[in-house]
Amino acid sequence: MIPQVYKEVIDLGDGRQITLETGKLAKQAHGSVVVQMGKAMLLCTVVSSYDAGTVDFLPLTVDYREKFAAAGRYPGGFFKREARPSTEEILTMRLVDRVLRPLFPKDYHSETQVMIQLMSHDEDVMPDALAGLAASTAIQLSDIPFETPISEVRVARIDGEFIINPSRAQLENADIDLMVGASADSVAMVEGEMDEVSEEEMTEAIKFAHEAIKVQCAAQIRLAEAVGKKETREYEPEEENEELEKKIYDAAYQKCYDIAKMGSSKKERGLAFSEVKEEIKSQYSEEELEEIGGLISKYFGKAHKEAVRNLTLDEGIRLDGRQTTDIRPIWCEVDYLPSTHGSSIFTRGETQALATVTLGTSREANVIDLPTQQGEETFYLHYNFPPFSTGEARPLRGTSRREIGHGNLAQRALKGMIPEDCPYTVRVVSEVLESNGSSSMATVCSGTMALMDAGINLKKPVSGIAMGLISDGDRYAVLSDILGDEDHLGDMDFKVTGTADGITACQMDIKIKGLSYEILVKALKQARDGRLHILEKLTDTIAQPNENVKAHAPKMVKVTIPESYIGAVIGPSGKVIQEMQKETGTTIVIEEDGEHGIVEILGVDQDAIDTVIRKIEAITFKPKVGSVYEVKVIKILDFGAVVEYTEAPGNEVLLHISELAWERTNNVTDVVNIGDVIDVKYFGIDPKTRKEKVSRKALLQRPPRPEGKPKGDRRPQQQNKKED
């Protein structure tokens, strides 16, 4: 018997709908929902342990997976089973996690797992835009404590019009592509890429998305009420001690304020704050520390945070002594690594990124093989964040979600500036060597310079800056180029990248409710001033992309050939192309593109590349009717000479004895011999012989006709033939 099913419909206003359904699937989960748009269906479940956790944070796991069966496909590779998540799946997990996590109670520490699965795919629906809605709805249908419903939507601007949750095909024509996460009251997360738009245009896109999110939040509430809203579970809250809190505050606040005001380095103030904390803890016995040590650390952290925030709001002074709009000292260098195709160092304060560029053929493209998307990236960026960059020793457990997210942001910032006619596959790798405040923005800056150093003709250089916000409701301060501590203690962390003409990418996490759009625009404009300041430092270091790639870097040439000649260039079992690569030391890749073949030739030696081009031209050579060509005699036959086009070695044609000269020719060698170079005219296919016809005599002046011989009279020749 099918259980009772509850549904709620969200109208997108353009004929499209999103349906929320619960009651049919996964009923043992604490909350479950199926979100459907078109033929796309996502199943989301949430489960949270009823046992209080032993950790002092929320152990939340958000997992998003796309099933290949959803698109009627098999997983690639040897094992036909979905395995570890793809980069795109991890990016979706991060988008959902960043909006959900702040809305759980701060003292809720139970193991919580949100699982989102794409069960059915629709080519016209991008499922990542539905994942946040699915996660929040499942939580609303559970008894898990959660502040308020949220949702996420993608907003794109296409031909000047904003669209909610566009298809992938529509997105190709968009100049704004933003994912926005919010509750009905407040925007919490923004991430996306843009085509050099203004701060006001970006804000308008966020507003448009927020209006759609309000409708989706209301639909979740209606569905939960229809099902029967569950009572929020009771859980054991964190222990509180107001008397101890006041005591710690009185002992720590002013000392922390004074340390913050000193404007010291990260290491110095870290030691100073630790000394204050240890001094306070020394006033308690070991038995007391065992009992209330956790509370002491918690209350010290609150006093420390308040002191640092008030210093900025009261006096406009920051932890390292800067004013709110100051950018830390910057130094840059290019061509640092002698063997890479391009390299640069970008150092801003205590943050440093070393970027490298590698150039390759389409064979090195990053292959995307997902249920929802197949294709290749010919520009991609990888970001590495080793523990030594923050002075720590931590286990190395592979690429983290954070590294994937930061690398993706930097890639989106730069990819629009790669010229469409760039012949290379380009890989940028950022090695973060020091970190104290936005290594992802340092990656954008170092990546820009490394690309220019490699000879990639960027449309425009790109810079990036991380901004912060501190607000107590009545007062606020926007901070340019934030430190790591300011990121942790602040109310908003937003990273903005762009050229001198507009924004190319952004990532924002907003921690306060009801942030006004006026403050957001002010913050974005302050970010623009910072970006332009940093951009000037980059262009002072390298003003223009290098005209040529480095001497040791591969040169790339693309040759277009008719599709019918691809087989000839490759040769039987690849013999021809392999021989060319072996002889010249080049890499040759051929791809079909409609009625043409695109031949990529990659090599360090330009002469070797030119040799390959000549060989390909010879293979694909097709003479034009009426044109004159230089040929070389390579063989003598009784009835003519075999000649080879000098501009296309290997292409041979028969020059018949009758086409050697106007006079009668008894022996071919009377006119030409092996090795002779002569000119011939090409006549195309002879309708009589069905073979190609060339003529030498057509280029010679015809001798005068003997007197008395009628025009067209061939009898003497016929008589001679009989005599012969």
Side-chain angles (χ1 to χ4, degrees), residues 20-33:
L20 308 179
E21 177 186 288
T22 190
K24 185 182 289 187
L25 303 181
K27 294 202 297 177
Q28 291 191 48
H30 296 165
S32 69
V33 67

Side-chain angles (χ1 to χ4, degrees), residues 23 30 99 147 180 235 296 353 387 389 394 396-397 408 425 453 462 466 471 493 500 590 676 679 689:
H30 296 165
V99 185
E147 185 174 328
V180 180
Y235 64 95
I296 292 173
S389 64
R394 288 183 279 104
L396 301 176
R397 304 190 187 279
N408 178 67
T425 290
D453 180 52
V462 181
S471 173
D493 166 30
I590 303 179
D676 288 352
D679 289 339
T689 64

Side-chain angles (χ1 to χ4, degrees), residues 355-603:
T356 60
V357 171
T358 307
L359 308 178
T361 68
S362 58
R363 190 177 293 166
E364 281 72 51
N366 184 37
V367 177
I368 300 172
D369 183 24
L370 301 170
T372 56
Q373 183 184 3
Q374 296 85 47
E376 292 182 340
E377 290 178 329
T378 55
F379 171 75
Y380 50 100
L381 185 150
H382 292 149
Y383 165 101
N384 296 318
F385 190 85
F388 67 77
S389 64
T390 54
E392 298 174 278
R394 288 183 279 104
L396 301 176
R397 304 190 187 279
T399 306
S400 68
R401 290 187 178 188
R402 180 183 179 277
E403 288 172 306
I404 289 174
H406 281 35
N408 178 67
L409 174 61
Q411 177 175 324
R412 298 178 87 175
L414 292 169
K415 73 176 185 180
M417 294 300 112
I418 303 295
E420 288 78 8
D421 59 354
C422 177
Y424 296 100
T425 290
V426 181
R427 181 187 184 225
V428 179
V429 179
S430 172
E431 306 290 348
V432 178
L433 307 181
E434 291 184 60
S435 180
N436 182 18
S438 196
S439 52
S440 63
M441 296 298 93
T443 293
V444 172
C445 297
S446 60
T448 290
M449 292 188 294
L451 287 165
M452 295 168 75
D453 180 52
I456 299 300
N457 190 27
L458 284 184
K459 298 175 185 176
K460 299 171 189 175
V462 181
S463 65
I465 189 170
M467 307 290 291
L469 176 73
I470 294 176
S471 173
D472 63 3
D474 299 321
R475 302 172 298 166
Y476 71 90
V478 178
L479 311 180
S480 296
D481 180 23
I482 58 173
L483 302 168
D485 288 343
E486 291 172 331
D487 181 5
H488 174 68
L489 300 172
D491 297 317
M492 179 165 67
D493 166 30
F494 59 109
K495 304 176 178 72
V496 188
T497 72
T499 67
D501 297 320
I503 301 170
T504 60
C506 74
Q507 183 184 91
M508 298 186 186
D509 290 298
I510 303 166
K511 307 168 191 176
I512 57 174
K513 300 175 187 176
L515 176 71
S516 72
Y517 286 105
E518 290 74 20
I519 294 178
L520 181 58
V521 171
K522 180 184 184 303
L524 287 170
K525 288 190 173 181
Q526 186 171 319
R528 184 177 188 275
D529 294 337
R531 280 195 293 109
L532 294 179
H533 169 79
I534 296 170
L535 190 61
E536 186 177 346
K537 298 292 183 181
L538 306 185
T539 53
D540 284 347
T541 304
I542 179 166
Q544 298 289 336
N546 290 332
E547 291 187 7
N548 300 301
V549 298
K550 298 183 185 301
H552 62 273
K555 288 77 177 172
M556 168 76 84
V557 175
K558 287 187 177 182
V559 177
T560 301
I561 63 174
E563 185 268 342
S564 58
Y565 281 96
I566 292 177
V569 173
I570 295 173
S573 302
K575 182 178 180 181
V576 174
I577 195 170
Q578 290 172 9
E579 190 66 29
M580 282 194 286
Q581 291 180 118
K582 184 178 179 181
E583 288 179 3
T584 61
T586 59
T587 300
I588 306 171
V589 179
I590 303 179
E591 290 186 349
E592 282 191 52
D593 183 14
E595 297 180 355
H596 299 90
I598 307 299
V599 184
E600 297 178 357
I601 308 163
L602 190 80

Side-chain angles (χ1 to χ4, degrees), residues 26 31 84 90 95 130 133 153 206 221 237 242 251 284 297 314 377 422 433-434 459 528 535 576 580 649 654 681 724:
R84 62 184 182 183
I90 288 173
L95 288 172
L130 303 174
L133 170 62
V153 300
I206 297 172
I221 294 172
E242 292 183 6
Y284 298 88
S297 295
D314 293 341
E377 290 178 329
C422 177
L433 307 181
E434 291 184 60
K459 298 175 185 176
R528 184 177 188 275
L535 190 61
V576 174
M580 282 194 286
L654 175 68
K681 186 174 183 179
D724 291 339

Side-chain angles (χ1 to χ4, degrees), residues 300-312:
F300 175 80
K302 290 177 69 174
H304 170 213
K305 179 177 181 178
E306 187 174 336
V308 172
R309 289 167 61 89
N310 284 342
L311 174 67
T312 302

Side-chain angles (χ1 to χ4, degrees), residues 8 53 72 78 97 121 187 218 220 338 340 383 439 461 571 596 612 662-663 715:
E8 187 66 39
F78 185 78
D97 187 297
H121 176 52
V187 174
Q220 295 175 51
T340 61
Y383 165 101
S439 52
H596 299 90
V612 174
W662 288 105
E663 299 82 6
R715 283 178 295 177

